[in-house]
mmCIF file of all heavy atoms in Angstrom:
data_model
loop_
_atom_site.group_PDB
_atom_site.id
_atom_site.type_symbol
_atom_site.label_atom_id
_atom_site.label_comp_id
_atom_site.label_asym_id
_atom_site.label_seq_id
_atom_site.Cartn_x
_atom_site.Cartn_y
_atom_site.Cartn_z
ATOM 1 N N HIS A 55 106.025 -2.194 -57.308
ATOM 2 C CA HIS A 55 106.938 -1.576 -56.344
ATOM 3 C C HIS A 55 106.207 -1.560 -55.004
ATOM 4 O O HIS A 55 105.148 -0.938 -54.873
ATOM 5 C CB HIS A 55 107.319 -0.165 -56.807
ATOM 6 C CG HIS A 55 108.121 -0.190 -58.075
ATOM 7 N ND1 HIS A 55 107.903 0.669 -59.124
ATOM 8 C CD2 HIS A 55 109.141 -1.013 -58.446
ATOM 9 C CE1 HIS A 55 108.773 0.384 -60.096
ATOM 10 N NE2 HIS A 55 109.524 -0.630 -59.707
ATOM 11 N N GLU A 58 104.589 1.548 -53.153
ATOM 12 C CA GLU A 58 103.793 2.504 -53.931
ATOM 13 C C GLU A 58 102.312 2.260 -53.636
ATOM 14 O O GLU A 58 101.579 1.627 -54.395
ATOM 15 C CB GLU A 58 104.169 2.396 -55.408
ATOM 16 C CG GLU A 58 105.647 2.754 -55.591
ATOM 17 C CD GLU A 58 106.109 2.854 -57.034
ATOM 18 O OE1 GLU A 58 105.296 2.643 -57.951
ATOM 19 O OE2 GLU A 58 107.299 3.158 -57.230
ATOM 20 N N ARG A 98 110.473 -0.428 -52.181
ATOM 21 C CA ARG A 98 110.168 -0.542 -53.608
ATOM 22 C C ARG A 98 110.583 -1.909 -54.139
ATOM 23 O O ARG A 98 109.872 -2.539 -54.915
ATOM 24 C CB ARG A 98 110.945 0.576 -54.326
ATOM 25 C CG ARG A 98 110.960 0.519 -55.830
ATOM 26 C CD ARG A 98 111.917 1.603 -56.357
ATOM 27 N NE ARG A 98 112.121 1.506 -57.782
ATOM 28 C CZ ARG A 98 111.399 2.168 -58.701
ATOM 29 N NH1 ARG A 98 110.448 2.976 -58.320
ATOM 30 N NH2 ARG A 98 111.645 2.030 -59.978
ATOM 31 N N HIS A 141 101.141 2.733 -60.334
ATOM 32 C CA HIS A 141 102.336 3.084 -59.573
ATOM 33 C C HIS A 141 102.115 4.372 -58.799
ATOM 34 O O HIS A 141 101.056 5.008 -58.896
ATOM 35 C CB HIS A 141 103.538 3.246 -60.514
ATOM 36 C CG HIS A 141 104.060 1.950 -61.054
ATOM 37 N ND1 HIS A 141 105.255 1.412 -60.675
ATOM 38 C CD2 HIS A 141 103.513 1.076 -61.939
ATOM 39 C CE1 HIS A 141 105.438 0.257 -61.313
ATOM 40 N NE2 HIS A 141 104.405 0.031 -62.081
HETATM 41 ZN ZN1 ZN B 1 106.646 2.234 -59.460
#
Side-chain angles (χ1 to χ4, degrees):
H55 294 136
E58 298 187 0
R98 170 187 173 93
H141 287 251

